[in-house]
């Protein structure tokens, strides 16, 4: 294994991590697979790359590939890699919890947005004036419902600040 191929692998590994952290999972998988192919299988760096690859597989929806890779990595000679593979595989095999629909936020699909740009047209409406908008009315607060009693917090804070300043000045002299 030449030092040049190790440097290339490290570079691809970093690119894969950046792509993964940016949500570009296909690109992350591509970079991490290339980095993994350049490294000797039983090294610490190779194990680290493959753990990231398994995580990218899962993020891209390729859970079976991620579990299979974790199964291989559980026998990795580097202890931290095999431990992480066991932990990751346990998470991947865990049953999926059902979440109520109101807990979920739907993310719109903008993949076809570039295709639709040519179909969208904007026209100015001369009948409406932009100056006719009224500012939103301010909600009035009933002051009889507001607790205006002094709780002496301000005085306690001011005394604490004063004591702190005096002690700092006294210690510096």
């Amino acid at each position: 294994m030449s030092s040049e191929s190790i440097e290339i692998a490290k570079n691809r590994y970093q690119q894969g991590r950046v792509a993964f952290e940016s949500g570009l999972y296909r690109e992350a998988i591509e970079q991490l697979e290339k980095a993994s192919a350049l490294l000797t299988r039983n090294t610490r760096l190779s194990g680290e790359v493959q753990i990231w690859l398994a995580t990218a597989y899962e993020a891209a929806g390729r859970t079976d590939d991620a579990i299979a890779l974790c199964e291989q990595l559980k026998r990795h000679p580097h202890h931290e890699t095999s431990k992480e593979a066991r932990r990751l595989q346990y998470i991947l095999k865990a049953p999926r919890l059902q979440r109520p629909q109101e807990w979920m936020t739907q993310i719109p699909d903008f993949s076809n947005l570039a295709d639709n740009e040519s179909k969208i047209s904007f026209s100015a409406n001369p009948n409406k004036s932009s100056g006719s908008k009224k500012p939103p009315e301010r909600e009035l607060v009933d002051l009889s419902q507001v607790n205006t009693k002094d709780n002496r917090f301000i005085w306690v804070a001011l005394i604490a600040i004063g004591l702190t300043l005096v002690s700092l000045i006294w210690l510096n002299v």
Side-chain angles (χ1 to χ4, degrees), residues 126-138:
N127 296 335
K128 283 190 174 181
S129 66
S130 61
S132 67
K133 286 188 178 180
K134 288 184 180 179
E137 296 210 13
R138 296 177 59 179

Side-chain angles (χ1 to χ4, degrees), residues 2 13 46 69 79 104 113 123 132 136 146-147 158 163:
S2 71
Y13 170 50
S46 173
L69 184 55
H79 175 69
M104 306 297 281
L113 188 61
S123 63
S132 67
V146 177
N147 181 9
L158 288 174
L163 288 173

Side-chain angles (χ1 to χ4, degrees), residues 3-158:
S3 62
E4 183 178 318
S5 63
I6 291 174
E7 285 304 313
I8 293 170
K10 284 181 180 179
N11 188 23
R12 292 209 183 261
Y13 170 50
Q14 289 302 320
Q15 289 174 359
R17 284 181 58 180
V18 168
F20 179 86
E21 291 167 354
S22 299
L24 304 171
Y25 303 124
R26 275 192 230 130
E27 183 181 329
I29 289 170
E30 181 182 317
Q31 294 298 331
L32 292 168
E33 284 176 340
K34 288 177 181 177
S36 179
L38 292 170
L39 296 169
T40 305
R41 289 277 176 225
N42 294 331
T43 62
R44 184 189 61 79
L45 180 60
S46 173
E48 204 174 304
V49 169
Q50 289 178 329
I51 289 291
W52 274 90
L53 181 58
T55 307
Y57 281 153
E58 168 61 20
R62 294 172 53 182
T63 305
D64 293 337
D65 292 336
I67 292 172
L69 184 55
C70 285
E71 189 64 39
Q72 291 173 8
L73 290 173
K74 285 186 343 185
R75 295 181 295 278
H76 195 276
H78 188 257
H79 175 69
E80 287 298 315
T81 299
S82 60
K83 180 179 163 184
E84 185 67 20
R86 276 190 221 89
R87 187 191 68 77
L88 185 56
Q89 187 180 38
Y90 177 79
I91 292 169
L92 295 175
K93 286 186 172 182
R96 302 281 182 228
L97 299 176
Q98 294 296 324
R99 295 183 202 114
Q101 192 63 33
E102 60 267 10
W103 291 4
M104 306 297 281
T105 301
Q106 295 295 327
I107 300 173
D109 181 16
F110 293 123
S111 60
N112 296 327
L113 188 61
D115 299 336
N116 292 333
E117 283 182 6
S118 61
K119 298 176 187 174
I120 298 173
S121 63
F122 295 99
S123 63
N125 190 353
N127 296 335
K128 283 190 174 181
S129 66
S130 61
S132 67
K133 286 188 178 180
K134 288 184 180 179
E137 296 210 13
R138 296 177 59 179
E139 183 178 330
L140 298 177
V141 177
D142 184 12
L143 292 179
S144 65
Q145 301 295 324
V146 177
N147 181 9
T148 57
K149 182 181 174 189
D150 182 16
N151 63 4
R152 296 190 178 93
F153 173 75
I154 301 275
W155 293 109
V156 171
L158 288 174

